[in-house]
Amino acid sequence: MYSDSDAAALYDLLDPWDPDRWPGDAFYAGLLTDAESVLDVGCGTGAMLHWARAHGHHGRLAGLDPDCAALARARRRADVEWVNGVAASMGWDTEFELAIMTGHAFQFLIADDDIRSSLAAIRAALRAGGRFAFETRHPQARAWEAWNPSNASDVVDAAGRTLRVWHQVEAVREDVVTFTGTTAEPGGAVVRVDRASLRFLDAAGLDAFLAEAGFTVEARYGDWGRGPVTSTSEEIITIARRA
């Protein structure tokens, strides 16, 4: 079987944090470099905050994630605060200039109450005028239609094992997509299956939750080059300010 720690290490191989290669990483790198204190909500293995510290960020950096195996990798750097938990459980009070959710992590908030409680906790963690930056996949792009075994990725993990990884949709109900992620050996023997659901909110739906939580939308983009949201946009990238 492929353990949680194996899966966390594999994630870093499949989705490395690299602003020189990935426009989305470059977008967030610019924001966090300019912020004195940064909270990474859903920090995963901590790659973004590792990069920030390694590239000269001397302010306060904190990462939060419910995945203990991912946090174990994040804690390889001790000069960042690492906290196990979900957004709604946060207890910070007006302590950060910037909060970030990358990797479409916002979409893991499914129920309305989960979104409301998470946004309330993020707002509470921000100083007056602080900003919250995050992205979601635009539902009009129907990204889930490409989540099938024909789009599998082949990778050699840190232990030298050759693996094939793919996703497959189980259900689409209103704006929630449930899917599996499968890790297998080259011969087809499955070593791990993970199941998750994502919510695909449109811009109007996002804005309603943000306004209710006490945020104003400062900027909205449809791509990582800061272009506007259009009828062909694949992303909804939002920078919201604590009102």
Side-chain angles (χ1 to χ4, degrees), residues 119 123 203-217 240-241 243:
L119 286 175
R123 183 185 184 279
L206 288 170
D207 289 350
F209 281 113
L210 288 166
E212 181 182 349
F215 286 98
T216 58
V217 175
R241 188 174 291 275

Side-chain angles (χ1 to χ4, degrees), residues 2-241:
Y2 212 63
S3 70
D4 288 352
S5 59
D6 289 332
L10 183 63
Y11 178 85
D12 279 342
L13 288 173
L14 291 170
D15 297 285
W17 174 266
D18 188 349
D20 292 329
R21 293 177 59 195
W22 310 117
D25 294 351
F27 178 90
Y28 287 113
L31 294 177
L32 68 91
T33 298
D34 294 335
E36 177 184 316
S37 50
V38 180
L39 171 62
D40 184 2
V41 184
C43 65
T45 60
M48 182 178 71
L49 298 184
H50 287 190
W51 178 92
R53 194 64 90 201
H55 285 77
H57 195 294
H58 299 297
R60 183 180 182 187
L61 299 175
L64 173 93
D65 202 277
D67 187 329
C68 293
L71 277 182
R73 290 183 65 81
R75 289 185 171 121
R76 290 176 297 176
R77 284 201 75 109
D79 53 0
V80 176
E81 300 171 46
W82 305 109
V83 177
N84 180 236
V86 297
S89 70
M90 297 189 306
W92 286 296
D93 183 17
T94 62
E95 298 178 47
F96 296 93
E97 182 180 335
L98 175 69
I100 294 178
M101 288 184 82
T102 67
H104 304 104
F106 189 90
Q107 291 185 250
F108 284 96
L109 302 174
I110 304 299
D112 287 0
D113 285 347
D114 289 338
I115 295 174
R116 291 188 177 104
S117 58
S118 297
L119 286 175
I122 291 169
R123 183 185 184 279
L126 291 170
R127 300 172 183 170
R131 298 191 297 172
F132 172 40
F134 67 101
E135 88 285 340
T136 62
R137 298 174 182 87
H138 202 308
Q140 71 183 2
R142 303 177 67 84
W144 61 87
E145 292 182 348
W147 299 348
N148 55 69
S150 67
N151 290 320
S153 298
D154 294 320
V155 64
V156 177
D157 74 2
R161 293 168 288 200
T162 300
L163 299 166
R164 173 159 289 191
V165 180
W166 69 86
H167 298 90
Q168 190 159 13
V169 173
E170 287 190 342
V172 180
R173 295 188 175 91
E174 297 182 346
D175 57 6
V176 177
V177 176
T178 300
F179 63 99
T180 57
T182 300
T183 304
E185 297 175 346
V190 173
V191 296
R192 184 182 179 94
V193 177
D194 295 290
R195 180 173 284 102
S197 294
L198 299 176
R199 188 167 181 182
F200 286 74
L201 286 168
D202 60 17
L206 288 170
D207 289 350
F209 281 113
L210 288 166
E212 181 182 349
F215 286 98
T216 58
V217 175
E218 178 180 287
R220 167 70 49 69
Y221 307 112
D223 59 59
W224 297 113
R226 297 179 182 255
V229 177
T230 70
S231 61
T232 61
S233 296
E234 296 182 0
E235 302 282 351
I236 303 173
I237 303 160
T238 303
I239 300 176
R241 188 174 291 275

